[in-house]
Every structure is written in C-alpha cells, then in structure tokens.
Amino acid sequence: VSARPDVPRLSGEDLDLLISRSLDGDLSAEEESRLQQVLAADPAAARRRDDLAGVVASLKALPTHEPPFAIATRVNVQVADRAKGLGSTWHRFGLYPAPGLVALALALVVALGLASVFLNKPRPLDVATAPVQEKKPEPGSPVEVFFQSNAKDAPASQPAAPAPEPKARIAENQVRREMDAESAQGRLSKDADRMADTRAGEAVGGKAGVGAVAEMGRADTLEPARPANPVAEAPAAPPPAVADASSVSSGLLKEEESESVSKQDVKNKSAKIALQAPAVTGTPRDEIAAGTSAPAPPARRAMELRASAPKPRWSISIVGPAQIGASWRLKKTPTTAPPEKPVQVLYRLTLDRSGRVVSARPQAGPVPAEVQELVLGLLFESSGEAVESREVEVEITAK
Amino acid sequence: MSVVATVYASERSEWPGDERAITRFLAGDPSGFEDIVRHYSNMVFSLAARLVGPAEAEDVVQETFLRAWRGLEKFRGESSLKTWLYAIALNRARARHGTLSRLRGLFAAASEGREDLFAALDEASDPGASPEENALLCEQRRRLRAAMANLPEDFRATVILRDLEGLSYEEVAAVLSVPVGTVRSRLARGRALLKETLS
C-alpha cells in the first residue's frame, strides 16, 4: 500500500521510458509534472534518473573521429570515375537503370540469340532410330527430310532390306576361301611338281622332296586362302605375299622348260605336298569359320587399316515445297555402297502409288551408276494425307 | 599548395539545399551531387566510424555515396536527404560489419585489433584535467564503448543515431524505418542496458 496514493506507481520499463523521454525533452508538460512527482516520491527512481542522465551525458561526450582530409573530394572523384561509364549515358537521357540490370539484359539477349540459333538448326534424322518425321510443317513452308547413311551402320539399320548377317557372311566367305584354297592347293601341287622337276637333277632322293615341301609350305603360309572377291569381309593377303608366291611359281615355270624331270621323284614329292598342304592351310580357315580366333597378323593389319579409313556415306535429302515433303517420306534406306568419289546430285523423282520410283531425272549431267542404282531402289511412303503430287525432289550426296 | 587550397575551398562551398542540389543533379549537372557529397560526407563518415571504426569508415562513405548517386532519381523527398543518406550508410555498415564479423569469427586474432581502433581516441587527454581525472575519463570511455559494442544491434543503432549523432526521434525513425514509438522504447531500453552494464 503506497504511503501517497495520489502518486502513480510505475513499473521499471515505464519509468525508464519516461526518464529517457524526459532527458530528450520529449515529454509534454503534463507528463513531465507527473514524472517529477514520481521522482520526488521515490528516491530509487530519482537515483535511476541520475544514472541514466550520466550515461546519456557520457555518450554525448564521446569523442568522434575527425573525417580524413578531403574525403569529399575523393568521393567525388570516385563517383565521377563511375559516372564516365555506361551509367552516365543513361543518366543523360533521364534513365537510371538499377545496377546490373543492363548486364542482365545483355546476357538475356545473348541467351535468346543462342537459343534461337540452336533450336532452329536442322538436325539430321536417323532412319534407324526415327524412321518417320513426326513434325508436320506448315503448308507453304519449305521442308527438308534429312537422312544420312553410314556404311558401317547401314546393315543393322535396314529392316526393309536386311543385309546378310555376320555369321552368314562369315560362312559365305568361308565357302569362298575353301574354294580358293582348293584351287590354290592345286596350284601349289602343280608348282611343287614343277619345282621338284627343276631340282631333281640337283637334289638326291628324299632330301630334294623335303626341301620342296618346306619351300612350298612357306609360300602357302604367306597366302593361305586368298579370297576371290576383294569386297569380301575377310581381308585379302598382303601384296608382298602374293608377289612372293607368284615369283616362286614363275621362277619354277622358267626352270621347268630347261631341266629334265625324274618321274619317281615327282610322284614322291607330290604325295608329300598333298599331305602337307592341307595342314598348313587349314589353320586360318578353321579360325575364320569358328569366328573366335584373330586372323593372321597381315590380315589383321589390313582390317585395322580398313576400319580406320573414312567410310563413304550416303546422304539423302527430300527437298521442295511443304506439300511434297509432307506427302512422301523415305521408307527404305539405300543398301548399295556409295561411290568412292564424292557426288551431289539433285533428282526429280516420279513415284507410283506404293512409293516406288518410276522415273528418276537428274537435274544436272551424267551421274555415276551407283547413284542411279540407289535412286531407283529408293522406296517412299505417303504420310497418310491426301497425296497431291507424286513427284519428289531428292538431293543425293555421297561423301 | 594551390591544390590544397582549392580542395579546402571546395569543401567549404555554399550549400544550396537538398532540393536544389538534387534538381541540378537530375538535370545532368554533376556539381549538384558534388555539393551533396561535400555537405554530408563528414556526417556520414562520423556515423560510419562509430559503426565500423575509422579504418573502414571511408570505404563505407564511398559506398554510401555511390549508392546515393545510383539511386538519387528514386528519392521522392518523403524524408530528408540527410536521413536517406544515413539509412544507406547504416545498411552499408551493417553489410560490411556482418561480413567482417564473420571473418573475425574465423580469425580470432583479428578481433583484438578492433578495440584498438578507438583506443587512441579514448586516451585523448583533457589538457585542463589532472592525470588522475584523465585516466578515469579514459577508463570510462573504454567501458562505455565496450558496453555499446555489446548492445543488441537495434538498440545500438538507435542510441548512436540519437545520442551520438544527435538526430531527432522522427529522424531516427526515418533512418531505421520504424515508428517513433519504437524509437522511444528502443532508446529507453538501450540506455537502461548501458547503465546496467556500466554499474
């Protein structure tokens, strides 16, 4: 119970607020008189007021750092340096873009430009992965259906005209090699006979026969099974080996004319060669047939060289107005190998209802036979819409 | 010597007033902003020195006026140019002080140097006082700065703006973007906290 009920009692925070405001002269006359009543009635409040007044006086008495000499000049110089930039140009026109806004706008413009360039770039359509062009062009706009064929990938990506399977091709090559080996074996037998005839006078009995077998074995190893077809997958024997074998044979033929022959020796040597030759030629043939072992080192080098060489490629583009491009699409990919020389021909094709090429008219000059064969073998399909024209302009490129 | 005299004269040039200086600047006359810098740079430096120390105060002043130069066209005159510049300086100091505080947390040895920034200032003796009185005054200032440094940020800014920079309640409210009643209560609580710390 207060001893003086006419004096209001204040909490600590309210008293501090009034004292603080009083020190700053922020109280009204009525508030000031009420505070003075409280301070007069409460010695603790009066001490508190004195303490706070001392703190405020100390704060106001704290020394301040003098500003550095010519700070305003330095600031003005720095601002003037900044003002020489792009910002001052904007300011002359009454524009005050926010910092970084211009850079952001420039970056946005560059990004939009790059995006438009990359988005509008025509991308090649791989028939193997996307045989049908789904995007329909607007009528009247140019359309281009682009197809590229890689000779390496072409067999796997042609369901319409499947290429021979690798195993089948190996088997086919094996048959060819067997036939070549047999003929080569026959040649070797003949050569051996001739060599035996030529050396019959020099050699004595079995020694001459063994020497002839060894020499022919070497020649056969150098050319174990030379394929008749150079396009076959198995590589041809290297030229030095062929030259070596042929030189041996030709040399023997010359000697055959001048020297006499011992019939008995010839029979013995021929029998030995007949026994020896299959054993020599059989090893590479079996390896290729099994498809597991690597071919002989010269053949492997030839394969590596062929694999590393750039493959000729077909490129077929359907060009022309949208009505044509929207009506016909390329269905069958070319199976023929491109010519070695680069070719670029623009064709005007007339198609029948099923999309087969009825006539192909090159727009310029004579074209290679491979290209003409390719064009006549193309097969198109309609896009499902009403086909107004059966003529297609096709640009054939072989790189 | 002539250069020094020119600089001194330019910093004592006639102050045309906020409105005229701003109008000249917005019209493309660079001397309008130069006048603003000359008139307010010392005040901004004083506040920056109290907030971040004298070593970094000039950087805060540079940043403050650069921001002002970029944003002066948006100044609508709802508050005075003085409070607007104080607000920019306070934000710049807070940003710099926050970064420096984090760095000082990483490098504890660097935190010892900040107290030395005001040591020379606090040790400035009063020629009319005795050595004992000067020592007592120096100790009182040191304790008061230490107590100020430990105040919460809002209270500290309010006390600095009011008691050290001499701004009115309304000006402090404009700088801090708070109501005047908030300034009153923050000031009372800040002063009370300082008294408790010092006692």
Side-chain angles (χ1 to χ4, degrees):
Chain A
V1 179
S2 173
R4 298 179 62 181
D6 55 322
V7 178
R9 294 187 63 85
L10 299 172
S11 66
E13 284 191 4
D14 291 341
L15 182 62
D16 286 344
L17 181 61
L18 279 178
I19 292 172
S20 177
R21 290 179 62 192
S22 171
L23 292 172
D24 291 331
D26 188 48
L27 291 178
S28 64
E30 184 183 353
E31 290 172 326
E32 185 67 36
S33 66
R34 194 170 56 184
L35 175 64
Q36 292 303 325
Q37 284 181 348
V38 172
L39 295 177
D42 188 354
R47 280 198 304 276
R48 191 170 187 84
R49 183 198 179 281
D50 293 342
D51 290 344
L52 284 174
V55 168
V56 172
S58 299
L59 286 170
K60 290 184 177 176
L62 275 177
T64 59
H65 288 277
E66 285 295 317
F69 178 72
I71 183 174
T73 304
R74 285 198 295 278
V75 171
N76 275 326
V77 167
Q78 192 181 40
V79 171
D81 287 343
R82 300 288 183 97
K84 288 176 184 174
L86 189 62
S88 62
T89 308
W90 294 107
H91 289 189
R92 289 192 192 99
F93 294 100
L95 300 172
Y96 298 89
L101 190 62
V102 177
L104 184 66
L106 287 175
L108 192 63
V109 168
V110 170
L112 285 175
L114 289 176
S116 66
V117 166
F118 282 109
L119 290 177
N120 293 334
K121 187 178 181 180
R123 283 178 289 185
L125 183 66
D126 190 354
V127 173
T129 55
V132 178
Q133 191 183 23
E134 295 295 336
K135 187 179 178 182
K136 294 181 179 179
E138 294 182 1
S141 64
V143 63
E144 185 172 3
V145 180
F146 193 72
F147 164 75
Q148 272 196 331
S149 167
N150 192 330
K152 185 179 178 182
D153 303 332
S157 61
Q158 294 172 1
E165 293 293 327
K167 285 184 178 178
R169 185 174 289 184
I170 289 173
E172 181 184 340
N173 292 332
Q174 180 187 354
V175 171
R176 286 177 183 170
R177 288 187 197 113
E178 284 176 354
M179 294 173 64
D180 294 340
E182 287 172 1
S183 60
Q185 185 178 339
R187 287 200 306 273
L188 287 172
S189 298
K190 287 181 180 178
D191 292 342
D193 291 344
R194 290 165 189 158
M195 187 167 64
D197 291 342
T198 55
R199 297 187 178 176
E202 299 173 3
V204 180
K207 283 185 180 178
V210 170
V213 168
E215 188 152 356
M216 293 313 298
R218 182 178 64 84
D220 200 357
T221 305
L222 290 172
E223 190 181 13
R226 185 181 177 189
N229 186 1
V231 187
E233 188 171 293
V242 176
D244 193 4
S246 60
S247 64
V248 170
S249 301
S250 61
L252 293 176
L253 285 172
K254 289 177 182 175
E255 291 176 356
E256 183 184 17
E257 298 171 355
S258 59
E259 297 184 10
S260 61
V261 177
S262 169
K263 295 294 181 183
Q264 186 61 36
D265 286 343
V266 167
K267 284 183 181 176
N268 292 338
K269 291 163 191 169
S270 299
K272 288 177 182 176
I273 290 168
L275 288 172
Q276 188 78 9
V280 175
T281 59
T283 302
R285 190 167 49 191
D286 292 342
E287 286 174 352
I288 294 172
T292 54
S293 302
R300 189 186 305 163
R301 277 200 302 274
M303 289 179 70
E304 290 172 354
L305 285 173
R306 180 177 294 186
S308 62
K311 306 283 186 183
R313 296 168 60 150
W314 284 117
S315 170
I316 301 173
S317 302
I318 301 177
V319 298
Q323 290 81 2
I324 294 177
S327 300
W328 293 105
R329 291 189 297 248
L330 189 64
K331 183 179 180 182
K332 180 184 173 185
T333 59
T335 57
T336 57
E340 293 298 330
K341 292 171 61 178
V343 175
Q344 185 170 13
V345 187
L346 185 66
Y347 268 95
R348 186 81 178 177
L349 306 180
T350 304
L351 311 176
D352 62 4
R353 281 182 182 278
S354 60
R356 295 185 185 282
V357 178
V358 177
S359 70
R361 299 185 298 278
Q363 300 298 307
V367 295
E370 298 98 321
V371 178
Q372 188 72 18
E373 182 186 355
L374 162 78
V375 172
L376 293 174
L378 292 177
L379 180 62
F380 292 80
E381 64 177 355
S382 67
S383 60
E385 300 173 358
V387 179
E388 298 175 356
S389 173
R390 289 187 192 155
E391 290 208 336
V392 179
E393 278 192 2
V394 177
E395 187 180 63
I396 310 292
T397 305
K399 296 177 181 176
Chain B
M1 293 298 290
S2 61
V3 173
V4 173
T6 303
V7 170
Y8 183 82
S10 68
E11 294 204 349
R12 294 288 187 272
S13 62
E14 190 72 21
W15 170 236
D18 289 358
E19 191 174 346
R20 287 187 62 186
I22 293 171
T23 304
R24 278 166 46 203
F25 170 71
L26 293 181
D29 182 2
S31 67
F33 193 79
E34 290 172 5
D35 287 341
I36 292 172
V37 173
R38 283 190 208 103
H39 188 70
Y40 288 110
S41 57
N42 286 358
M43 285 188 291
V44 173
F45 177 85
S46 174
L47 174 66
R50 295 185 197 282
L51 292 170
V52 298
E56 301 166 36
E58 186 166 344
D59 292 339
V60 172
V61 174
Q62 300 271 11
E63 294 173 13
T64 299
F65 282 104
L66 276 174
R67 296 262 173 161
W69 177 75
R70 289 172 182 156
L72 196 56
E73 88 286 353
K74 295 176 184 172
F75 179 71
R76 290 169 291 186
E78 293 174 352
S79 61
S80 68
L81 186 59
K82 175 184 173 183
T83 57
W84 185 66
L85 289 172
Y86 268 126
I88 296 174
L90 190 65
N91 288 331
R92 291 294 87 208
R94 278 174 173 167
R96 178 174 283 266
H97 189 62
T99 305
L100 289 175
S101 296
R102 285 192 289 273
L103 289 175
R104 286 189 187 108
L106 294 174
F107 305 100
S111 63
E112 299 171 359
R114 190 167 185 274
E115 295 176 358
D116 297 335
L117 296 174
F118 295 95
L121 199 64
D122 294 338
E123 289 170 2
S125 58
D126 183 0
S130 65
E132 293 78 11
E133 289 173 338
N134 278 329
L136 189 64
L137 184 64
C138 176
E139 175 64 18
Q140 185 185 5
R141 288 170 179 170
R142 191 191 62 77
R143 289 179 61 203
L144 187 57
R145 288 195 194 277
M148 285 278 291
N150 290 328
L151 277 182
E153 174 63 29
D154 291 339
F155 296 165
R156 182 165 164 260
T158 307
V159 169
I160 287 176
L161 288 172
R162 172 60 194 156
D163 290 336
L164 277 69
E165 295 300 317
L167 271 63
S168 68
Y169 282 7
E170 289 75 16
E171 287 175 331
V172 175
V175 170
L176 299 177
S177 300
V178 294
V180 175
T182 304
V183 173
R184 289 188 181 111
S185 63
R186 282 183 184 178
L187 196 58
R189 293 183 63 188
R191 286 167 173 171
L193 284 172
L194 282 177
K195 184 191 76 67
E196 289 172 9
T197 304
L198 293 173
S199 61

